[in-house]
Amino acid sequence: MSHTQERPWTPEEFEAQLRDKGAAYHIHHPFNVMLNSGKASREQIQGWVANRYYYQIIIPQKDAAVMSNCPDREVRREWIQRILDHDGHGDDAGGIEAWLHLGQAVGLTRDEIVDQRHVIPAVRFACDAYLNFCRQRPWQESVCSSLTELFAPTIHKQRLANWPEHYPWIETDGLQYFRNRVTQARRDVEQGLAVTLAYFDTRAQQERALEILKFKLDILWAMNDAMMIKYGLAQAA
């Protein structure tokens, strides 16, 4: 029987299928494992922060693309919070600014982060592919692609727990980005998951949603591949 003829998964079954994709999350990538186990050099950490900055500045552009394609006012009223979280508003400088503080805490200058001199071409290509997907595909598919946030709080908690111990030379104030995202990502997941579970309601659509989530997981994995090639891995003892 083809997927189009099979019964849809229940919302609970569908959510479980989505969460199972976490096995491919970049928390398991050797480069990230190295970072979180205290084996990374100063150059490797600086390279990671400088390259991930490009991903950070893509995020609000991606969210603006979702909103521009979405005719549902109520969805837009909630989704706009993501742009405010990253770009900042009022007295809140936002996530991009927090990431710049992280860069300075690991010894980079603000200018060398902002001018993107360290961004690897493959990292730029992967991030641009994600942004182009969100600009071109139906907004519900773009929302689905954001569900790597299902797995994000764990990786942020790891950094908060491990980095101060492993890398005492990093100023602790620079880790505020991770503190903020632990709670923000949970809130974002609730909205993204609600849209995805409601919209992808046939087996064929649910299978498509899993493909979309895998695409986004591949984006994050490819970024780590590129950084591993550029900066190397710590040698085993």
Side-chain angles (χ1 to χ4, degrees), residues 45-105:
I45 292 174
Q46 290 176 343
W48 178 79
V49 172
N51 276 274
R52 282 278 300 200
Y53 173 75
Y54 190 71
Y55 179 73
Q56 300 304 318
I57 64 174
I58 286 290
I59 292 173
Q61 296 178 66
K62 172 269 296 184
D63 289 324
V66 172
M67 291 183 63
S68 72
N69 289 329
C70 177
D72 189 321
R73 178 187 177 211
E74 291 308 311
V75 172
R76 294 197 307 269
R77 281 166 60 90
E78 291 188 26
W79 205 266
I80 197 171
Q81 184 61 47
R82 296 169 184 245
I83 298 176
L84 300 177
D85 286 344
H86 284 278
D87 282 345
H89 63 101
D91 294 331
D92 179 3
I96 292 174
E97 189 64 32
W99 195 268
L100 288 168
H101 289 164
L102 172 63
Q104 292 169 303

Side-chain angles (χ1 to χ4, degrees), residues 50 53 57 96 100 109-117 119:
Y53 173 75
I57 64 174
I96 292 174
L100 288 168
T109 68
R110 187 182 185 91
D111 285 347
E112 70 181 308
I113 305 168
V114 172
D115 69 16
Q116 302 170 30
R117 72 185 71 169
V119 177

Side-chain angles (χ1 to χ4, degrees), residues 2 14 26 33 84 87 96-97 146 182 184 213 221 233:
S2 69
F14 184 25
H26 66 120
V33 171
L84 300 177
D87 282 345
I96 292 174
E97 189 64 32
S146 76
V182 168
Q184 290 173 353
L213 183 53
W221 197 271
L233 284 178

